[in-house]
Amino acid sequence: MSTDHADTRLGHEDDGGRLFWVCAVVGLGVIGFGLAGLLNARLIGSIASWATYLVGGLLVHDAVLAPIVVAISVVLIYLVPSRIRPAVQGTLVVAGSVALVAIPVVGGWGRKPDNPTLLPRDYGLGLAIAIAIILAAGAIAAARAARRPPPRRPPERPRGW
Amino acid sequence: MLRASRRRGVGEQLAAGESRRRALDGALGTRGVVRAAAPAFPSRLHDERIAAILGTALGIAFSLCFLTGLYSHFAQHPLDIGFLSMPTSPAWLYRVTQGVHVAAGIAAVPLLLAKLWTIYPLLFVEPPVRSPAHLVARLALIPLVAGGIFQLVSGLANITGWYPWQFSFPVAHYWTAWMVIGGLIVHIGAVATPALRGLGRERRSRDEPDGDGLSRRGFLGVVAAGVGAVTLLTVGQTLRPLRGLSLLAPRDPAVGPQGLPVNKTAAGAGVLQSARRPDYALLVEGDVQQPLRLSLTELQALPQHDADLPIACVEGWSAGARWSGVRVRDLLELAGATSVSDVRVESLQQGGSYRASRLNAAHAQHPDTLLALRVHGEELHIDHGFPCRLIAPNRPGVQQTKWVTRLEVRA
């Protein structure tokens, strides 16, 4: 459709084509349906608590988690040789995903004294085993990358996050 | 027009074999957008093709969560309008849909984080709003992103029985899902063109952009590995053969009294005494010719039948078992219920949202719908509903009422 092969930039959304406005009207209607349903639900409990978690989750990602990832990226650029950096980055992505998903089970805040079938395992140990396996896989990948011949062409583009 | 002709020029230069960056620099000069954005987020991973691939995967995961969640919602709040009534077969349907719901939600955690990372520079785009359409598209990202994070966080906490908030989880999770899917519809309208372009064949065949660190392909690979890891570490709570790998699953389908997990214990439901009283009786009442009052001994004396049915919990775990007991339809026949539109099944439990459930006509008449007295050949453990519990095909666990004491028939 386009001869625009070079443009891989982000952010080239449609600015107001017919498809966009059809989707916008339908989508905003569905959003409104959800919001109205929530505000009218008798059993919702605290709307303020819902709003706090909704906005809180967004802020924790955009203002805490993402900047932390940027900071880690910067540290990696200075500390890790470029040849093994992909292996280190990959290890951190996988281990980080696993650690995040493990937070509620390792924390175990949902445990109930009358129900030992809920959260029956030693999740700290489970997480340690999982992370150890991921680190081992990452170490193997890094060792293999270090033995590969260096790239012929030095990277042109600025390094970074 | 001017820009279009410039871009065609870039394409021709590329076709002539020049590197993308040199071609772009030639076309746009030092004021080129890529150069302007580069100092802030120089990584080649902030890329249209990655955004398109991760966005597609995430859209599929969110859509699976939404559809299976909707199914679960209406399984618990039945519409009972013709074909919209919950079917009795396949018996494993809810087990699969709810297992998929939770697994897709867990798989969406690395996908969402990777997607948000890819497009993070767009949070700081200049100008912040460039057109009415751009404003609408950006505003709709709030329910999509904030709601998406909310759904994953609240769902992950819920499957571990953890409720650190003051709202009702099922109500908030249900209505927020509509906001997320509405935001997704607007987003699809906004990014359809670049997403299709990013997924297109010419993008796939292109060389990796220059740079060091993870390549695009490498990044997608490790995100896939992250999805695989979180899935393997949890999915064994419903896929029994993988239970040994599921070090982080909130449940083990083999751990519990009589080899079955428990959601609500007898102690938690406050029925430790009432369920063991010698004068326990099951009442069959309502629109019947002959109301029944049956002791446990009388129930045991009725014809017993077996059914292999799963307990499939809304929290995403499931476990199959062989149940034996009295068919509900035999009890209805014994009470002389000639026409049955639904049956209310009541527990000894005094309070709580799940102390009673309803059987629609198809479920009430199904030969596998039992008031089970035994599981795996043993008398039911009190945490599994002693003296008797409802077990029926294709129902959420919360509707398999335990400690049953009364059936109320409606014609």
Side-chain angles (χ1 to χ4, degrees):
Chain A
M1 173 199 111
S2 163
T3 53
D4 174 13
H5 291 290
D7 193 358
T8 59
R9 286 170 297 158
L10 290 165
H12 273 237
E13 294 96 342
D14 278 0
D15 277 355
R18 183 178 297 165
L19 172 71
F20 171 75
W21 285 114
V22 169
C23 288
V25 169
V26 173
L28 291 177
V30 174
I31 294 169
F33 174 72
L35 193 58
L38 187 96
L39 296 177
N40 289 320
R42 279 180 303 118
L43 300 173
I44 177 68
S46 166
I47 297 268
S49 176
W50 171 79
T52 305
Y53 274 84
L54 188 83
V55 177
L58 187 65
L59 290 180
V60 166
H61 176 271
D62 285 359
V64 181
L65 193 57
I68 287 175
V69 174
V70 171
I72 293 174
S73 304
V74 176
V75 171
L76 290 185
I77 286 168
Y78 285 100
L79 290 190
V80 181
S82 68
R83 225 183 316 171
I84 65 166
R85 202 179 311 135
V88 176
Q89 289 172 308
T91 307
L92 290 178
V93 169
V94 179
S97 304
V98 168
L100 263 185
V101 167
I103 289 174
V105 290
V106 172
W109 301 286
R111 280 213 168 82
K112 294 185 187 72
D114 65 311
N115 190 357
T117 74
L118 175 64
L119 302 177
R121 302 176 198 256
D122 180 345
Y123 294 101
L125 178 66
L127 179 62
I129 294 172
I131 297 289
I133 294 171
I134 294 163
L135 289 181
I140 293 170
R144 288 177 54 179
R147 261 186 285 139
R148 244 175 260 143
R152 269 175 298 154
R153 198 160 43 100
E156 273 183 30
R157 202 170 145 126
R159 312 185 298 174
W161 43 95
Chain B
M1 282 296 101
L2 182 62
R3 288 191 63 182
S5 62
R6 271 184 185 173
R7 285 189 198 164
R8 239 190 313 281
V10 172
E12 283 155 9
Q13 291 180 48
L14 274 171
E18 292 195 46
S19 93
R20 172 179 318 129
R21 177 150 162 262
R22 224 170 314 125
L24 253 185
D25 285 351
L28 299 174
T30 48
R31 288 175 299 128
V33 180
V34 175
R35 288 198 91 128
F41 290 99
S43 164
R44 56 182 162 174
L45 300 181
H46 304 295
D47 172 86
E48 187 176 73
R49 177 162 168 79
I50 293 187
I53 291 173
L54 290 175
T56 305
L58 192 59
I60 291 170
F62 273 17
S63 300
L64 275 175
C65 283
F66 181 71
L67 293 173
T68 53
L70 213 55
Y71 181 74
S72 181
H73 178 82
F74 286 112
Q76 294 174 68
H77 305 91
L79 293 169
D80 281 340
I81 314 166
F83 71 97
L84 289 174
S85 296
M86 279 300 128
T88 56
S89 79
W92 43 260
L93 183 59
Y94 186 80
R95 178 185 207 175
V96 171
T97 62
Q98 198 59 18
V100 166
H101 182 80
V102 172
I106 291 174
V109 172
L111 287 176
L112 178 66
L113 290 173
K115 174 76 200 295
L116 290 178
W117 170 250
T118 305
I119 59 166
Y120 192 55
L122 292 182
L123 189 60
F124 312 101
V125 72
E126 286 291 338
V129 174
R130 60 170 182 260
S131 68
H134 190 223
L135 175 66
V136 169
R138 293 203 84 185
L139 285 178
L141 287 176
I142 296 172
L144 178 58
V145 179
I149 294 171
F150 176 89
Q151 294 296 79
L152 298 186
V153 169
S154 63
L156 265 184
N158 170 68
I159 62 172
T160 69
W162 178 35
Y163 304 99
W165 46 71
Q166 285 82 50
F167 53 82
S168 156
F169 169 75
V171 176
H173 202 65
Y174 174 70
W175 289 112
T176 307
W178 285 102
M179 297 180 217
V180 174
I181 226 67
L184 181 59
I185 293 169
V186 181
H187 186 61
I188 288 172
V191 302
T193 306
L196 287 175
R197 190 173 58 212
L199 292 172
R201 191 167 295 138
E202 72 264 36
R203 283 282 186 274
R204 185 167 60 229
S205 59
R206 295 208 66 76
D207 292 340
E208 284 284 349
D210 293 326
D212 61 359
L214 272 175
S215 63
R216 293 191 308 189
R217 197 161 296 145
F219 182 58
L220 291 174
V222 297
V223 172
V227 169
V230 296
T231 303
L232 277 182
L233 287 165
T234 53
V235 80
Q237 64 172 337
T238 187
L239 268 183
R240 204 183 179 96
L242 295 182
R243 58 176 277 261
L245 290 177
S246 288
L247 305 177
L248 301 178
R251 300 283 190 155
D252 181 333
V255 169
Q258 297 167 328
L260 286 173
V262 172
N263 203 22
K264 190 82 172 175
T265 63
V271 299
L272 276 176
Q273 264 100 51
S274 55
R276 291 202 178 102
R277 280 170 62 138
D279 63 346
Y280 163 84
L282 173 75
L283 307 176
V284 183
E285 300 174 325
D287 296 328
V288 297
Q289 289 163 0
Q290 176 68 53
L292 303 178
R293 182 186 176 88
L294 300 166
S295 70
L296 180 56
T297 320
E298 289 169 313
L299 275 173
Q300 287 162 341
L302 290 171
Q304 305 289 305
H305 296 273
D306 289 345
D308 286 313
L309 290 175
I311 289 282
C313 188
V314 67
E315 271 92 37
W317 61 268
S318 70
R322 164 155 292 194
W323 310 87
S324 347
V326 183
R327 280 179 177 156
V328 167
R329 73 175 189 194
D330 290 354
L331 290 168
L332 299 179
E333 199 178 306
L334 206 59
T338 45
S339 75
V340 175
S341 67
D342 75 32
V343 178
R344 184 179 152 86
V345 183
E346 288 180 23
S347 172
L348 288 167
Q349 190 183 344
Q350 290 303 306
S353 357
Y354 301 113
R355 63 169 300 272
S357 67
R358 285 171 64 251
L359 287 168
N360 63 26
H363 272 108
Q365 300 294 353
H366 196 278
D368 280 350
T369 300
L370 305 179
L371 285 185
L373 305 171
R374 308 175 76 78
V375 63
H376 297 313
E378 296 171 30
E379 186 171 75
L380 279 185
H381 188 280
I382 193 160
D383 282 342
H384 290 315
F386 174 86
C388 77
R389 81 168 302 163
L390 177 66
I391 188 81
N394 189 30
R395 278 168 66 93
V398 289
Q399 293 192 324
Q400 311 279 31
T401 305
K402 300 196 276 194
W403 315 291
V404 174
T405 188
R406 185 165 178 269
L407 302 182
E408 187 187 342
V409 181
R410 268 175 288 192

